[in-house]
Amino acid sequence: DEIFIKSNGSHVRLMFSDILFIEGMGDYVKYVTTGKTYIAHSTLKAAAEKMNSDLFLKVHRSYIVNVEKVLDVTDNSIKINNTVIPVSKSNKAGLRMKLGIA
């Protein structure tokens, strides 16, 4: 239910329920939570392996989202808080299935 990440020289505990989405940025990963954003030296693939697969889903080559935080779904994107996140064609069916959208 939680993960420790190293950000700014210290280890920070993040609860899965607080994470809105994770964005890959080359050799770094940005964890966006309800209150703060953390940057950690990691790859998106390594971050995905640490996350709860029931709660998180990769929707784009650069994004993993907390499916419980999705507010709006359009053809090629989703909205979490005020952030629009792209959804790739290859991940669209999996997202719709995970959210229970026919």
Side-chain angles (χ1 to χ4, degrees):
D1 288 356
E2 63 191 22
I3 183 175
F4 275 94
I5 62 164
K6 188 171 184 180
S7 180
N8 290 333
S10 65
H11 287 83
V12 181
R13 179 195 315 245
L14 298 179
M15 301 301 292
F16 287 158
S17 58
D18 290 340
I19 299 171
L20 301 176
F21 64 90
I22 304 165
E23 180 181 356
M25 305 180 314
D27 291 339
Y28 293 88
V29 176
K30 178 166 66 171
Y31 292 85
V32 178
T33 67
T34 47
K36 197 171 175 186
T37 298
Y38 301 92
I39 306 284
H41 189 269
S42 177
T43 62
L44 194 62
K45 184 177 180 179
E49 291 171 358
K50 296 178 185 175
M51 306 314 289
N52 177 342
S53 63
D54 292 336
L55 199 57
F56 291 91
L57 183 69
K58 186 173 183 179
V59 295
H60 186 270
R61 65 187 170 107
S62 300
Y63 290 94
I64 298 170
V65 300
N66 183 336
V67 293
E68 291 184 347
K69 306 295 183 180
V70 175
L71 300 176
D72 189 22
V73 180
T74 62
D75 263 358
N76 299 320
S77 66
I78 56 174
K79 193 173 190 181
I80 296 179
N81 274 6
N82 290 322
T83 305
V84 176
I85 297 170
V87 177
S88 67
K89 287 181 185 177
S90 60
N91 292 315
K92 194 184 299 187
L95 173 67
R96 294 178 81 79
M97 192 173 82
K98 191 91 157 177
L99 294 175
I101 300 172

